């Protein structure tokens, strides 16, 4: 073993031991040293909770090992069949065991159908694109789960399924029933069965081998696609077992969306185990369950404390685990086929009279249309237009972070919430000017973005999506909660503040709309300037191949952190505008689901397209206003999948294709060859050659 390899092995071992030590200290402190030590019954209950979490986490790991994909639909794969089973037992009066068998069959079928109908369409796509597709899939499955209760004419919430037999065990001051006993039996059986399947069966061994190189495995005759179907079916089964057992313990939110806490607990365990080490993932999930229940046992505890602890676990886990030893952790983010940027007008055509006149007419027409909106829109629709403008600023921040820097953020609205809290407090509490609030909120968002982004840069891959989703949950439930930080947050109605110390009046909805449009215009200019600068070019290069960038002596970490700062600043500025447009700090505007919607609008508009970000904001926010709440998943979830399947470049790229078609027609009419538009004729022409036959004969004779 070389010195470099020995050092890498030592650092890896030290990191793993440090992580294990931290986990033991946390569990020991939560259970033993806590002001009110948890009784053994609470510890056992936490282990049962952790066992259910582990089933979801192992589903994450199974899909990741087979496909190198972080499956954000993992919990929803189990939610749909579990909802069906619970309603069959409670509403239809079916037998518990018969409904369980139907649930197992439904989960296997659902997982197989999802793989065949959706996942397989992205077989040759970059792993990042497939991960994004699972976000859209999760929203579709959530919508499906919300429709199932309508088939049974019920809208019951948190329906808890009764056990099939009666058992009451008093252990450590806690009563355990038959549902808990079933968890004690089913979870270990699932662990052992999964381990035996992966280690002893031919399919399991093939799955492990195909995970390394799917193309090479396919060349060797391994049925990679069939194995992928098996993996997704098993992941769906594990998710169903977790949700079904959870229905017996605490109930399922029938008729409402499953909260993100349970999902994030499983995701945190998978992060600790690097999505690859099944025993570590299972133990981490059980430890998280014990800590969660120990915290819940404490007098005066709030669920927000548990969410904050969960975010801390994810952040510490990312800092301690580092990159995968096999170097594949970041490979899925190295190719961004969907991040297509709009090309400028070719130099051969840019100075043509019709092009120049057309650009001026379109530009002035667009500006005139936007500025005239307050004239003919009602008050409610003008508010919608203002929200669309603010959402476009958030979308621009994601273009910088995701489209250019190659980092997936699912907590962008949480950064906007930080900006809203800081900016709202500066104007409402301290009476400062709105301009200072915009700057102060933006700086706060930039600092938080850098703090959250650094562990993700160190770990690589798609870990920023995990950490930002945990951050979104902690911000929504704790940071923006008046119960905990009420002295620091703006409360009540926020009146319209002064702007530029009274020089500009923004007291009406129309003037506030114009202010938001002005901020959007400045953001557009800033983003375009960054893209044209050296920093923008380096961000694109890092996104495509960070190792090559480092080989030129460029600090990839510093440049990427600059991208985080710019993105956080823009998102927080949008939050400052939103809190004043809404005249109050409404935490529902910054829920984790809103961050996922913000990410969806950028994918739909086009990851690398500035104009596409605005189109995506119009599409998503407009659909949210036009469609009922139960149908909005079609705009975001189904819309995201359709864009990835039909328009990989997004709406912005589709609009650019239309523009290129017009430019191509102009070039053809003027007989101008434009190589960048794929010219319709070749430059080379065949030249006829007249050869004297006698000369050829003479050559032959001389030979």
């Amino acid at each position: 073993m070389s010195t470099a390899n020995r050092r890498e092995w030592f650092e890896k071992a030290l990191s793993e031991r440090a992580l294990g030590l931290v986990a033991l200290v946390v569990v020991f402190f939560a259970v033993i040293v806590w002001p009110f030590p948890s009784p053994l019954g609470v510890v056992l209950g936490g282990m049962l909770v952790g066992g259910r979490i582990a089933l979801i986490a192992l589903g994450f790991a199974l899909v990741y090992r087979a496909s190198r994909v972080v499956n954000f639909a993992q919990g929803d794969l189990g939610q749909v069949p579990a909802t069906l089973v619970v309603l069959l037992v409670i509403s239809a009066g079916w037998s518990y065991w018969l409904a369980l068998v139907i649930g197992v069959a439904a989960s296997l079928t659902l997982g197989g159908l999802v793989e065949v109908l959706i996942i397989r369409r992205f077989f040759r796509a970059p792993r990042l694109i497939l991960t994004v597709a699972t976000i859209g899939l999760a929203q579709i499955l959530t919508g499906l789960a919300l429709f199932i209760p309508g088939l049974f004419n019920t809208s019951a919430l948190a329906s808890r399924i009764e056990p099939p037999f009666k058992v009451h065990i008093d252990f450590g001051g806690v009563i355990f029933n038959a549902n808990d006993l079933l968890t004690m039996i089913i979870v270990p059986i699932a662990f052992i069965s999964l381990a035996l399947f992966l280690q002893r069966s031919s399919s399991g061994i093939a799955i492990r081998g195909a995970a390394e190189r799917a193309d090479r495995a396919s060349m060797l005759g391994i049925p990679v696609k069939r194995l992928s179907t098996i993996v997704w079916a098993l992941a769906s089964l594990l998710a169903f077992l977790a949700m079904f057992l959870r229905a017996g313990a605490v109930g399922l939110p029938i008729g409402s969306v499953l909260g993100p806490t349970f999902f994030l607990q499983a995701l945190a365990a998978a992060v600790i185990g690097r999505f690859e080490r099944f025993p570590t993932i299972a133990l981490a999930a059980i430890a998280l369950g014990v800590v969660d229940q120990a915290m819940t046992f404490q007098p005066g505890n709030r669920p927000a404390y548990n969410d904050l602890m969960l975010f801390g676990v994810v952040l510490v886990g990312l800092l301690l685990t580092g990159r995968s030893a096999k170097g594949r952790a970041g490979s899925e983010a190295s190719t961004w086929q969907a991040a297509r940027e709009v090309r400028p007008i070719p130099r051969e055509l840019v100075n043509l009279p019709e092009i120049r006149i057309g650009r001026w007419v379109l530009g002035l027409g667009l500006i005139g249309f936007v500025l005239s909106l307050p004239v003919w829109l009602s008050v409610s629709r003008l508010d919608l237009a203002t929200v669309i403008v603010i959402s476009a600023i958030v979308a621009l921040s994601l273009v910088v972070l995701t489209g250019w820097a190659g980092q997936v953020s699912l907590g962008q609205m949480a950064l906007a919430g930080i900006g809203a809290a800081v900016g709202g407090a500066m104007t409402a509490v301290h009476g400062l000017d709105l301009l200072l609030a915009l700057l102060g909120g933006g700086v706060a968002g930039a600092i938080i973005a850098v703090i959250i982004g650094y562990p993700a840069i160190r770990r690589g891959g798609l870990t920023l999506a995990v950490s930002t989703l945990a951050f979104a949950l902690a911000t929504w439930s704790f940071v923006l909660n008046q119960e905990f930080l009420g002295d620091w947050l703006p409360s009540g109605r926020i009146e319209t503040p002064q702007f530029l110390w009274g020089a500009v009046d923004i007291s009406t909805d129309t003037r506030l709309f114009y202010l938001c449009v002005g901020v959007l215009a400045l953001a557009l200019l800033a983003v375009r300037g960054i893209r044209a600068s050296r920093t923008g070019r380096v961000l694109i290069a890092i996104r495509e191949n960070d190792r090559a960038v480092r080989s030129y002596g460029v600090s990839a970490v510093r440049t990427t952190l600059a991208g985080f700062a710019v993105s956080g600043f823009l998102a927080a500025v949008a939050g400052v505008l939103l809190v004043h447009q809404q005249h109050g700090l409404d935490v529902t505007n910054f829920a984790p689901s809103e961050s996922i919607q913000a990410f969806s609008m950028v994918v739909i508009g086009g990851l690398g397209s500035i104009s596409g970000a605005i189109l995506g904001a119009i599409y998503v926010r407009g659909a949210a206003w036009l469609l009922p709440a139960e149908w909005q998943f079609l705009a975001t979830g189904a819309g995201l999948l359709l864009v990835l399947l039909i328009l990989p470049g997004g709406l912005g790229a589709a609009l650019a294709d239309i523009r290129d078609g017009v430019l191509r027609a102009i070039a053809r009419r003027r007989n101008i060859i434009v190589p960048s538009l794929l010219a319709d004729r070749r430059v080379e022409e065949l030249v006829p050659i007249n050869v004297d036959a006698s000369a050829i004969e003479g050559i032959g004779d001389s030979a």
Side-chain angles (χ1 to χ4, degrees):
M1 181 182 295
S2 64
T3 304
N5 291 336
R6 190 180 298 109
R7 180 179 179 182
E8 181 181 356
W9 177 87
F10 178 76
E11 291 178 351
K12 172 188 170 185
L14 184 62
S15 174
E16 292 177 351
R17 291 180 180 179
L19 179 61
L21 180 61
V22 169
L24 288 176
V25 170
V26 169
V27 174
F28 181 80
F29 178 78
V31 177
I32 305 298
V33 188
W34 205 270
F36 296 92
S38 303
L40 292 179
V42 173
V43 175
L44 179 59
M47 295 178 67
L48 297 180
V49 172
R52 294 190 290 268
I53 295 172
L55 292 177
I56 299 287
L58 290 175
F60 276 122
L62 188 63
V63 172
Y64 185 85
R65 288 192 63 173
S67 306
R68 296 296 155 192
V69 169
V70 179
N71 178 23
F72 285 95
Q74 179 62 32
D76 300 282
L77 284 173
Q79 175 79 347
V80 173
T83 300
L84 175 63
V85 169
V86 170
L87 290 174
L88 285 176
V89 175
I90 294 178
S91 299
W94 285 33
S95 165
Y96 179 97
W97 300 111
L98 178 60
L100 176 59
V101 172
I102 292 176
V104 170
S107 64
L108 292 172
T109 303
L110 177 63
L113 288 176
V114 163
E115 196 281 331
V116 172
L117 299 178
I118 298 177
I119 303 302
R120 191 170 294 184
R121 300 294 178 266
F122 299 92
F123 181 73
R124 299 192 181 278
R127 299 298 88 185
L128 171 71
I129 302 304
L130 180 52
T131 298
V132 173
T134 64
I135 297 175
L137 174 63
Q139 296 181 61
I140 292 177
L141 292 176
T142 297
L144 180 60
L146 294 179
F147 272 101
I148 292 178
L151 302 176
F152 294 85
N153 296 321
T154 182
S155 59
L157 296 178
S159 299
R160 181 172 178 173
I161 189 170
E162 292 297 326
F165 51 89
K166 300 295 183 181
V167 171
H168 291 277
I169 303 175
D170 187 349
F171 179 79
V174 178
I175 301 297
F176 296 93
N177 59 19
N179 284 320
D180 300 314
L181 183 61
L182 287 173
T183 301
M184 298 178 192
I185 297 173
I186 293 177
V187 170
I189 291 177
F191 287 173
I192 296 172
S193 300
L194 181 61
L196 292 176
F197 171 77
L198 292 176
Q199 295 180 4
R200 301 293 178 85
S201 69
S202 58
S203 296
I205 296 173
I207 288 172
R208 294 166 57 194
E212 303 297 328
R213 289 290 301 273
D215 52 351
R216 183 176 299 176
S218 181
M219 292 176 61
L220 293 175
I222 297 177
V224 176
K225 294 183 179 180
R226 181 165 62 85
L227 292 177
S228 178
T229 304
I230 294 174
V231 165
W232 280 84
L234 289 177
S236 180
L237 175 61
L238 290 173
F240 163 71
L241 292 176
M243 302 307 296
F244 177 75
L245 294 174
R246 189 172 186 266
V250 297
L252 279 182
I254 307 300
S256 64
V257 179
L258 179 67
T261 302
F262 187 66
F263 171 82
L264 272 174
Q265 287 173 333
L267 200 55
V271 167
I272 293 173
R274 299 184 180 181
F275 290 94
E276 296 179 346
R277 301 174 181 177
F278 284 19
T280 303
I281 291 172
L283 292 176
I286 293 174
L288 282 174
V290 172
V291 173
D292 180 79
Q293 292 302 299
M295 292 183 64
T296 304
F297 173 76
Q298 302 303 312
N301 183 67
R302 299 290 188 275
Y305 297 155
N306 298 48
D307 296 336
L308 192 63
M309 178 273 299
L310 185 60
F311 171 61
V313 168
V314 171
L315 207 61
V316 172
L318 292 178
L319 283 171
L320 292 180
T321 54
R323 290 181 180 267
S324 174
K326 297 181 181 179
R328 297 187 310 265
S331 61
E332 66 272 16
S334 61
T335 304
W336 282 70
Q337 293 178 355
R340 173 183 164 187
E341 297 186 65
V342 178
R343 297 175 300 180
I345 297 176
R347 290 178 297 176
E348 297 89 344
L349 303 177
V350 70
N351 291 321
L352 293 179
E354 55 265 51
I355 299 296
R356 298 175 63 183
I357 294 174
R359 294 178 68 183
W360 276 101
V361 169
L362 288 176
L364 293 176
L366 181 61
I367 293 174
F369 172 76
V370 172
L371 295 180
S372 67
L373 287 177
V375 177
W376 50 276
L377 286 182
S378 63
V379 175
S380 61
R381 295 197 176 187
L382 182 60
D383 288 340
L384 171 64
T386 306
V387 171
I388 289 175
V389 171
I390 296 173
S391 299
I393 300 175
V394 177
L396 285 177
S397 71
L398 279 170
V399 168
V400 175
L401 184 59
T402 303
W404 298 349
Q407 300 288 338
V408 177
S409 172
L410 298 180
Q412 210 68 4
M413 288 306 296
L415 293 173
I418 296 296
V422 174
M426 291 178 69
T427 58
V429 179
H430 302 287
L432 298 177
D433 189 83
L434 181 58
L435 178 61
L436 296 178
L438 289 170
L439 295 176
V443 170
I447 294 173
I448 297 298
V450 170
I451 293 174
I452 297 173
Y454 178 74
I457 295 175
R458 184 178 183 274
R459 174 73 178 264
L462 296 166
T463 49
L464 182 67
V466 179
S467 60
T468 51
L469 190 58
F471 169 70
L473 176 62
T475 301
W476 172 62
S477 63
F478 181 82
V479 177
L480 300 181
N481 195 328
Q482 295 283 349
E483 181 182 357
F484 306 112
L485 301 177
D487 295 337
W488 299 86
L489 298 174
S491 60
R493 179 178 174 82
I494 298 178
E495 300 297 336
T496 304
Q498 290 185 343
F499 184 65
L500 292 179
W501 292 271
V504 178
D505 182 17
I506 56 171
S507 58
T508 64
D509 293 337
T510 298
R511 294 179 182 274
L512 184 60
F513 169 76
Y514 286 143
L515 173 64
C516 294
V517 170
V519 174
L520 174 60
L522 292 176
L524 285 170
L525 292 175
V527 170
R528 288 177 64 90
I530 292 172
R531 179 61 186 89
S533 67
R534 177 182 180 274
T535 300
R537 293 191 294 271
V538 172
L539 282 175
I540 299 295
I542 293 172
R543 181 192 73 189
E544 296 298 334
N545 194 332
D546 60 340
R547 292 183 179 179
V549 172
R550 290 189 179 94
S551 67
Y552 282 93
V554 177
S555 176
V557 173
R558 187 184 303 120
T559 306
T560 306
L561 287 179
F564 277 108
V566 171
S567 177
F569 183 89
L570 291 176
V573 165
V576 176
L577 293 175
L578 183 61
V579 75
H580 290 94
Q581 189 269 341
Q582 299 286 321
H583 295 289
L585 184 62
D586 185 0
V587 295
T588 58
N589 292 322
F590 311 106
S593 58
E594 293 296 320
S595 293
I596 295 177
Q597 268 203 350
F599 184 78
S600 299
M601 73 174 65
V602 177
V603 176
I604 291 172
L607 282 173
S609 172
I610 295 176
S611 59
I614 300 176
L615 292 175
I618 295 173
Y619 171 83
V620 172
R621 295 305 179 192
W625 186 80
L626 293 173
L627 295 176
E630 62 270 18
W631 289 98
Q632 290 180 13
F633 73 94
L634 292 176
T636 53
L640 190 150
L641 283 177
L642 286 176
V643 165
L644 292 177
L645 287 170
I646 302 174
L647 299 172
L651 299 178
L655 188 63
D657 289 339
I658 297 175
R659 184 208 65 177
D660 289 346
V662 174
L663 294 177
R664 194 174 292 111
I666 294 175
R668 188 182 302 113
R669 181 173 59 84
R670 283 184 167 268
N671 200 26
I672 299 175
I673 297 175
V674 184
S676 61
L677 291 178
L678 301 177
D680 295 322
R681 64 177 183 175
R682 297 172 59 89
V683 177
E684 301 87 2
E685 299 289 347
L686 293 177
V687 180
I689 302 176
N690 297 322
V691 181
D692 188 358
S694 61
I696 297 178
E697 293 176 357
I699 294 174
D701 294 339
S702 62

